[in-house]
Amino acid sequence: MKRVPPAAMAAVLAALLLAACAPSDAPYDSLEVGVFVPGVASGSPIYEMLVEGVRRAVEATPGASMTVVEAGFNQAEWLDKLSALAGSGKFGLIVTSNPALPELCAVVAEQYPRARFLVADAWLQGNEAIHTVLYNQLEQGYLAGYLAGLVTTGGAPGSNPDKKVGLVIAQTYPTLDKLIEPGFRAGLAAVDPAIELETRVVGNWFDAAKAGELAKGLFDSGVDVVLPIAGGANQGVLSVASESGRRVILLESGAGVNYDPAVVAGSAWIAQDRLVEEKVKALLGGAKGLYGTAEVKGFAEGYVGFADDAPWFLALPAETRERFAAAEKALAAGAPAFPVTGF
Ligand code: RBF
């Protein structure tokens, strides 16, 4: 029998011991947070809130720091960029947002089992490296739709006799198709089942000129209020509405944003900044049990709402605001109820 030199034996034992102490999938021991913005933060409130939420959590956590990576609009590059971020081994937590991200995080978690992810505005259950939170955007869509319904049926200066509402979207995606749009349609129908919805697709999240052209086409065909869901491209819809004397309803914009009250009628928001702040604080604080779980947050919990105190909403006729307030109150009481338990 060949004898193993004692030094080699000791080295093998030490390696085994180390492996036992630090399992290969133990999270990276770091309070640095990587923020992966799948797009560009500026011009997209949902991503601005993502960065702001992490900033607040990091500020409140001694020793924590953050690095923001904007992955840009080419979705084909996102996986490699996310993989590079995780593979750097620098981050104890990677935070990102949008419904396409859990799938990419799951691929990267296979490559780098020590990486951990928080994905807001998304749903994935059962991956031990990933915690997701989905917003009840049926409720958010309903609030936006109810106001659009009031506007197109005569509830604001600039409305015409046609009962036509427009939707200008960047692209189709699951939470739009299954939550935001059905909620929006439910809101329109709650005001008047005869209201028609016309949808146009920009094809990306940045082309404001194209979004403006699409909105112009809608306004020319009798639409008097448009909901744009196109990130930075929303700007084009706002300019064309201003030139055409028509209305826009927004998602995500807070009361503090200084819009022209002749253009913006209202905004239904999700509290992504607060949600991200709370979750990052918890995860940096060691709430490891969150990984592998998926949550839904909605109107009842205060994560979906409406900018009731925005000056542009307050500029609407009193009767319109009162009817809207009544719908909001009814929603709070569960009428209609929009249960979302999974996705
Ligand atoms: N929303 C934005 O405001 N800006 C974006 O750049 C953006 N990019 C997205 C990319 C993908 C692949 C998907 C699925 C969604 C994106 N969203 C974006 C939509 C976002 O998740 C959310 O649905 C909307 O902001 C409405 O709340």
Side-chain angles (χ1 to χ4, degrees), residues 102-115:
E103 206 179 310
L104 304 186
C105 294
V107 172
V108 173
E110 285 267 313
Q111 296 173 322
Y112 300 105
R114 301 187 65 189

Side-chain angles (χ1 to χ4, degrees), residues 23-51:
S24 59
D25 61 351
Y28 293 116
D29 184 20
S30 163
L31 283 177
E32 183 161 359
V33 181
V35 185
F36 184 83
V37 177
V40 170
S42 172
S44 289
I46 195 154
Y47 293 156
E48 289 170 350
M49 288 190 282
L50 171 76
V51 176

Side-chain angles (χ1 to χ4, degrees), residues 60-320:
T61 309
S65 61
M66 68 191 279
T67 299
V68 180
V69 171
E70 287 185 313
F73 292 114
N74 185 350
Q75 295 175 19
E77 293 175 357
W78 290 356
L79 182 59
D80 283 349
K81 289 183 172 174
L82 184 65
S83 176
L85 196 69
S88 74
K90 269 171 58 182
F91 304 103
L93 171 65
I94 292 175
V95 184
T96 185
S97 154
N98 100 31
L101 262 297
E103 206 179 310
L104 304 186
C105 294
V107 172
V108 173
E110 285 267 313
Q111 296 173 322
Y112 300 105
R114 301 187 65 189
R116 293 292 179 274
F117 302 88
L118 165 64
V119 192
D121 179 27
W123 175 264
L124 178 74
Q125 212 164 20
N127 185 310
E128 296 302 322
I130 306 173
H131 178 45
T132 62
V133 182
L134 181 74
Y135 302 105
N136 187 334
Q137 291 192 299
L138 271 173
E139 293 171 329
Q140 185 192 22
Y142 178 81
L143 292 169
Y146 201 94
L147 184 61
L150 292 177
V151 168
T152 197
T153 53
S159 66
N160 61 26
D162 290 358
K163 294 177 181 175
K164 279 178 156 182
V165 170
L167 193 57
V168 172
I169 60 172
Q171 64 173 103
T172 57
Y173 55 95
T175 52
L176 177 77
D177 300 341
K178 293 191 200 164
L179 302 177
I180 305 174
E181 189 189 325
F184 191 65
R185 284 184 186 277
L188 295 176
V191 174
D192 185 341
I195 298 171
E196 291 169 36
L197 181 64
E198 292 270 343
T199 301
R200 298 289 181 273
V201 184
V202 181
N204 62 61
W205 295 89
F206 55 84
D207 192 345
K210 172 109 185 270
E213 272 169 36
L214 295 172
K216 173 116 187 34
L218 288 170
F219 291 137
D220 289 348
S221 75
V223 164
D224 47 13
V225 53
V226 166
L227 171 70
I229 307 179
N234 286 5
Q235 215 48 50
V237 177
L238 287 164
S239 325
V240 167
S242 175
E243 289 156 17
S244 319
R246 301 298 186 198
R247 295 278 175 166
V248 173
I249 287 172
L250 295 169
L251 299 186
E252 266 68 277
S253 285
V257 191
N258 188 21
Y259 291 115
D260 181 354
V263 177
V264 175
S267 169
W269 47 253
I270 52 183
Q272 164 121 316
D273 45 357
R274 185 156 52 84
L275 185 281
V276 168
E277 178 186 353
E278 291 164 358
K279 289 295 183 183
V280 172
K281 275 184 188 163
L283 291 167
L284 289 181
K288 301 216 176 352
L290 290 175
Y291 294 117
T293 69
E295 294 175 8
V296 183
K297 302 279 192 194
F299 189 75
E301 298 93 354
Y303 292 91
V304 171
F306 186 85
D308 305 277
D309 49 353
W312 14 280
F313 176 68
L314 294 172
L316 289 175
E319 196 213 328
T320 307

